[in-house]
Structure formats: C-alpha cells, structure tokens
Amino acid sequence: MSYCVNCGVELDRTAACCALCGTEVCNPSQPVDMTAPKPFPEEMQPPPPNNRPLIAGLLAALLSLPVLVCLVTNLVFGGGAWSVYPIGGIVLFWVLTAGPLLSRKPRPVPLIALDAFAVLVYLFVIAALGGQGLIVGLHWYLRLALPIVVVVAAATLFPVAYLRRYRADGLVTSAILFVDAGLALVGIELALSFFAGHPFQLSWSWIVLISCLAMSVALLIIDRSPHLLAELRRRLHV
Amino acid sequence: MSPLRKKSRPATAYAEWFKLDNAAKLYPAIHTGKRASMFRISAVLAEPVRPELLQAALEEVLPRFPAYAVRLHSGLFWHYFGHAPGCPRVLPDIKNPMLRPRFREKPGFLFRVFHYERRIAVEFFHALADASGVLVFLKTLVAAYLARAGGPGVAPGRLPETVYGPGLLDPAATPDPEEFEDAFLRYAHLHGPQGYREPKAYHFASTPEPIHTLHMVLGLVPVDRLLEAARRRKVTITEYLAAVYVDTLLEMQRREREVLHVDPRRRPLPVRLQVPVNLRRFFPTKSLRNFSFFVNVSIDAANGDYAFDEILPLVHHRMRLGLDKRTLAASIGQNVKPERSLALRLTPLFLKNLAIAEIYRRVGEPTSSGAMSNLGEVEMPPELADAVERFEFSLGPSFRIRTNVAMASYKGTLAITFSSTCKETDLERGFLTRLVRDGIPVKVESNR
C-alpha cells in the first residue's frame, strides 16, 4: 500500500497521484497497479442536448403564421403598407425572446444592446413609414425616440455590466440603482425638453436626482457602518 | 403537542397519483436545467455485479415500492406523482453521477440504478424520498440480487424469511399504506414559535468545474479508531466529524482572508453546517418518503479564532439542543404551516415555483456553509452480511455550495464521501488530514 507523503492518507493501489493534493505516487516496493479496475468508473455521460435553439425555432415558426396572414391580407386587400407595423412588432418580439434562448451562456450586456438596437430599428420603420412623411417622422425619431431609447438602454446596461464585474451586496446594489435611475430620468427630461424646443432645461428630474443621490449616500453610509446597520435592523425589523 | 388530525389515505387511493410530501415540494421548484437535488447510496459487494441479475432483481423489487415507481407531473396548483409503468434499465455507472433526471422524457422515473465492478448504486431525486427510505430500497434490492447471484455465505435461491424486517422488505409482501405517509403532517406542531432568518454564512472561494462534472473523494475510516477519538472528547462520532468540518471551514476562511487581503473591518462570516436528522428516530412511522429535518451547527467566526477543542463542546451542545423532540415538531410545523394556507394553496403552480425558488435563493443555500449527512450504521441480516463489503452515501451537487459530505458505516468502516463541483480539494484535504493528525488512518479513493 502507498501513502501520500504530503497528506498521510493511504491511497488506492490504482492511484497514480494523491486525490487530495496531487502529489505523485513514488513507491518502488509497490508500483501503481495499472491493470486493476479503478475504484470509480471513467466514462462520463454527456450532458443532455440543449433544446433552447429548438424552442427559438419553434417560436419563429409559430410567429411566422400571423406574419404571413398580415402580409397576404395586405397584398390582397391593399390599404397601404399597414402590415409592416404588426410584422415589425412580431419580429421585435421574436428578437427580444429568442436572444436569451439562443445565447449559450447568460450574456445580458450584448443582449440588452441587441434589444435596444431592435427597438430603434422598429421605431425607425414607424417613423419612416408614418403618414406625415419622412421629414416629420425623422424629426420625432431623432429628437425623442432615439435619445430616450439610448438613455434607457444605457441606464439598464450600466448597472448590469457593473454588478456582473464587481460583486456588491444588497445595499450597494440599491445605491447604484438609485443613482442610475436618477441619471436616467435626467436624461429622459433632457430629451423631452430638446424635443419641445427648450434644450437643457430641467424642471423636475433634478429633484428626483438629488433625492436618489441622497438615498444612495445614505445607503452607502449604512453599508460602511456595521453598527448603524445592526441598529436599523433592530429598530425596523418586521 | 397536538399532531395534525389528517388521516392517511388507503394505499389503493395512491395507485394512480399522490401528493408530494411537505419537504418534497421544495425540490421540483428549485431544480434548474443544470442541477437537481439528487443523492446516491451504493453497496459494494464482495463479488462483481452481474447486470442481468440486477435487472431481474430490480423488476422483482420495484412493485414492492410503488411510492418510487412514479414520475413527476404538474397540476394547476401543485406538482404530483403519477404512476410510471414498467421498470427502469440498470445502467453502467458513470464518472459524473447524480445528473438531473429528465422529468419530461418517458418513462420519467425519478431514480436510477447503476452497476460498476462490485458496486450497486441507486440515485434518487430528493422529492421522492430521503436517504433512510432509499436505504431500505437498496438493501431490499441487494438482497433480491444476492438471492439470484449468491455470494459469500449466500446460496442462490429463496432467502430465509428471517432476513426480512422493517429495514429490508419482503418483495412478495403487500405494500403497507403507512409507507406512503407524509409523516410531516402527522407530527407537525403548528403552534410553536416563529422561525427566524439566519444571517448569511461563509462559502469558500473555489473554481467551478464545467457543468455535469462531479468529483467524488471517498475516505475510508475505521469506526473503532474514530469512536476512540470521539469518546476521548466525550462526544458522538457525528458531533466529532461535524466539529472537524466546522474547524476546516473556519481555517479555510482564515486563510482566504489572509491571501485575499480582506479588509479586517469586514466581519468574517459564520460557518454554519446543516446536519440532517432522521425524524423516524423521534416520531415512529413506516414512511419510505421524506421524513428528515436538519440541525444547524453554527460558529460565528467574528467572535475570534476557535481551537478545535473549543469547537467540540459548542457543536455537541448545539446538536443536542436541536435534537429536542418538541423543538423538532415545532420546526416541522413551521414548514407545514404555509402549505395549509388557503391563499397559498390556490396560487397557481408556476407562481409558487417562482416564489419558492426565490426564497431558496435568498435564504436557503446562502445561510448554510455546507451539509454533512451521516446515514449512521447500516445493518444487513447476518445471512447476507458477508456478501456486502461496505455501503457508501453521497449527496449530489448543490447550487451554491460546491462540496457536500455524506457518510455511512458498515462492518466497522465509515465511508465518508465528498462530492464536489470545484477544482480545489482544500475542504477534503483539510477534513481528512485533520483525522490523520488525530491518529485515525484514512484510505482515499477518488474519481479525480
């Protein structure tokens, strides 16, 4: 019998190295038995096949039915290019749902970026085909839709990317989310004021931002002070 | 104590379907596409296993355990078990055991039977049963196999009636309705104190292995030497081993904080160990389904460094406190209470699943550093004792806890199995070398 010189445990006669520390077995009086069966089997069962792409394909097949119905109805009965709107909506729905299904690992950052891009494309189509013409459509698209979508996407992406990279507990996460929400609302109000013809005028969002900042600072202080946290838990327990 | 006045339904009522027991309701809700709560009990025989005879033995034994010949179904409000026809195939054992069952594929049995060299292993989805119930199934299966194959001291042919009893069932007998019982309902004490939320516990840092990898390290330890070490310190074997586990985790946390230069103002986390308890020891039932609870053994590392001899009395007393019969009944009551709420019962299953999974994610595994399950001393009838060399017990992969420990002893050898989904072996090494330092010889086998 062989013993690990590091761990002091007896090893199986088929073990070429210690299972605990990896030290190689070197015992001239009893070499490793390469012919005896190992204590555990060596064949691995492969993981079950991933059927999520199949679900994404099935969803695409199901959604293609209303797409076809809209397209054929539009072609037969006319009435302008109205079918682009429902078809665009259905395609957008598929992009939003199929992204997570087709992604092998959870990748929220590229998926959120993709979703924002898909929403922008759909809104662009609505703007371009709208009854008031391309110029008017592009006016609200560039001054209102594009900035709001970009702000909302950035406000979603930032905390997701940050929290995936740096671990944070509940209080720090909440503090980040408060600052993020405050900044997002400022961004949205800026976009609205820009569209209304009063660029860089803030009327209400700065109040929300200051409240959010105050809340975040309070949360970070509580996070840094275990005594304060314990006191709050004691007084506010439910 | 006022047991619930809920009568067991007759066995015939269970022929087509039956409800999940109180503990089982958790497991279908928390399983993911990658993992499910599984455990495995193996018997290592004196001679190599013949698969065709094992298959015949399984086909003979399974009708005696109708509670296990089932598949999982989803109702509108709850999951339920429905009868699964046929018998699962006995499979060659694999290196990555305790894969999640494929619930949707027919026949959809929630257990598997494996063979490898001299080993017969059964793996169960925890919703079906706990280890004590499955041990009865495995022993009955081994006996039926030995009746066909024979072995040291066992001649092939019908076994004498004396081998059968409560721990090893006669395959020819009719199932007892009490074997289906959800004993939690019978013994729950509903008016006990409210539970409280445990704070977050320490989880050791480790590198995860790819999914569907499970490393097993088996430590074989002579029970007499272990008993001697435990008696020297006036504790039981389980208490001694729990203290070794806690000490190893405390040491790992200390080292991690040094290596990672953790801000000393950050409090070290408590090490909390879950030790399952077989409730049949306290509340008599023949139930072959889940009927176990757990005792939490916790040491707060923020209180300072503990020596091993200081940990031992703490573990000893905490386990004794947790094993009070009335406390256990009240704890069961805490789990049974929500199940009796009309609002919860009327909540659709998918919402229940989401809620249970979220609660488990927040207060389940985060509040525990690991689990150490001791199946205790397994006994076989004297007629069959020589044909079985040892029993092994192992827990499947958890979700956040990367290494679990389970053990069973037979004929003077305790088999301690570490099942791990991480590359490092610090816990296994710390635990087993601690025994070696205490003068207890350890033999190690592994699939690493």
Side-chain angles (χ1 to χ4, degrees), chain A residues 120-172:
Chain A
L120 282 176
V121 170
Y122 183 50
L123 289 172
F124 179 77
V125 170
I126 293 173
L129 297 179
Q132 295 158 315
L134 184 63
I135 304 296
V136 177
L138 279 181
H139 176 73
W140 71 258
Y141 179 77
L142 291 174
R143 285 170 171 248
L144 190 66
L146 182 71
I148 289 180
V149 172
V150 169
V151 165
V152 172
T156 317
L157 274 174
F158 165 70
V160 170
Y162 181 86
L163 294 171
R164 275 178 71 81
R165 191 176 173 89
Y166 306 102
R167 276 190 165 186
D169 62 16
L171 287 174
V172 177

Side-chain angles (χ1 to χ4, degrees), chain A:
Chain A
M1 61 187 81
S2 296
Y3 285 83
C4 173
V5 290
N6 249 350
C7 307
V9 295
E10 185 188 335
L11 300 173
D12 187 63
R13 63 198 167 111
T14 62
C17 57
C18 173
L20 301 179
C21 67
T23 304
E24 271 185 47
V25 174
C26 182
N27 183 353
S29 64
Q30 191 180 47
V32 178
D33 189 343
M34 304 300 276
T35 54
K38 297 264 186 190
F40 288 92
E42 301 214 58
E43 289 78 32
M44 273 192 73
Q45 184 169 316
N50 179 8
N51 57 1
R52 296 201 307 174
L54 191 74
I55 296 171
L58 195 68
L59 191 65
L62 280 174
L63 292 177
S64 64
L65 201 69
V67 167
L68 274 176
V69 170
C70 288
L71 202 62
V72 170
T73 314
N74 196 181
L75 287 174
V76 172
F77 297 104
W82 60 265
S83 64
V84 174
Y85 301 113
I87 291 174
I90 290 169
V91 172
L92 177 64
F93 174 75
W94 185 81
V95 171
L96 297 182
T97 49
L101 288 172
L102 291 170
S103 161
R104 280 174 174 242
K105 286 181 183 175
R107 293 180 202 279
V109 175
L111 283 177
I112 292 168
L114 175 73
D115 291 349
F117 179 71
V119 171
L120 282 176
V121 170
Y122 183 50
L123 289 172
F124 179 77
V125 170
I126 293 173
L129 297 179
Q132 295 158 315
L134 184 63
I135 304 296
V136 177
L138 279 181
H139 176 73
W140 71 258
Y141 179 77
L142 291 174
R143 285 170 171 248
L144 190 66
L146 182 71
I148 289 180
V149 172
V150 169
V151 165
V152 172
T156 317
L157 274 174
F158 165 70
V160 170
Y162 181 86
L163 294 171
R164 275 178 71 81
R165 191 176 173 89
Y166 306 102
R167 276 190 165 186
D169 62 16
L171 287 174
V172 177
T173 305
S174 306
I176 291 170
L177 291 177
F178 269 113
V179 173
D180 189 57
L183 288 173
L185 288 172
V186 169
I188 288 172
E189 197 190 359
L190 280 176
L192 289 172
S193 63
F194 193 57
F195 181 68
H198 313 293
F200 307 112
Q201 273 190 12
L202 294 179
S203 60
W204 52 269
S205 61
W206 64 273
I207 301 170
V208 182
L209 177 65
I210 288 172
S211 310
C212 287
L213 285 175
M215 198 67 199
S216 299
V217 171
L219 287 170
L220 289 174
I221 289 171
I222 294 168
D223 181 65
R224 290 278 158 175
S225 164
H227 296 296
L228 189 56
L229 188 61
E231 184 67 17
L232 282 172
R233 276 206 180 122
R234 188 164 71 86
R235 286 178 185 270
L236 301 178
H237 79 276
V238 281

Side-chain angles (χ1 to χ4, degrees), chain B residues 4 112 117 131 173 180 193 199 234 237 249 303 394 415 439:
Chain B
L4 286 182
R112 304 187 190 99
E117 297 292 329
F180 286 93
K234 298 186 176 63
I237 287 183
L249 285 173
N303 292 346
S394 48

Side-chain angles (χ1 to χ4, degrees), chain B residues 90-128:
Chain B
V90 167
L91 303 164
D93 203 2
I94 49 174
K95 191 180 178 183
N96 50 336
M98 290 179 272
L99 294 171
R100 92 179 182 99
R102 298 184 182 182
F103 300 105
R104 299 213 172 123
E105 288 177 19
K106 285 191 174 175
F109 285 104
L110 302 172
F111 75 96
R112 304 187 190 99
V113 180
F114 292 101
H115 64 88
Y116 175 73
E117 297 292 329
R118 294 179 294 131
R119 185 182 284 124
I120 296 173
V122 291
E123 285 180 5
F124 271 68
F125 182 44
H126 215 325
L128 262 191

Side-chain angles (χ1 to χ4, degrees), chain B residues 18-31 35-41 67-68 70 72 81 98-101 103 109-112 122-135 181-182 184 274-280 287-294 360 365 371-375 393-399 404-406:
Chain B
F18 58 96
K19 292 178 187 177
L20 274 69
D21 61 61
N22 176 257
K25 289 186 172 74
L26 170 73
Y27 301 111
I30 61 166
H31 91 267
R35 286 194 184 133
S37 302
M38 303 285 291
F39 63 91
R40 155 187 282 234
I41 309 182
Y68 300 161
V70 292
L72 187 70
F81 291 128
M98 290 179 272
L99 294 171
R100 92 179 182 99
F103 300 105
F109 285 104
L110 302 172
F111 75 96
R112 304 187 190 99
V122 291
E123 285 180 5
F124 271 68
F125 182 44
H126 215 325
L128 262 191
D130 62 10
S132 302
V134 172
L135 182 63
E181 183 191 31
D182 179 355
F184 289 108
Q274 282 192 340
V275 183
V277 179
N278 180 10
L279 292 175
R280 294 168 186 83
S287 178
L288 292 172
R289 297 169 67 191
N290 282 295
F291 195 46
S292 52
F293 202 70
F294 55 82
Y360 186 74
E365 288 201 342
M372 193 196 87
S373 188
N374 188 355
L375 194 52
F393 174 36
S394 48
L395 299 175
S398 299
F399 300 86
N404 280 317
V405 187

Side-chain angles (χ1 to χ4, degrees), chain B residues 147-179:
Chain B
R148 285 171 167 77
V154 188
R158 178 147 177 82
L159 295 174
E161 291 297 320
T162 49
V163 302
Y164 302 116
L168 197 164
L169 303 177
D170 182 356
T174 313
D176 185 333
E178 201 179 323
E179 291 166 11

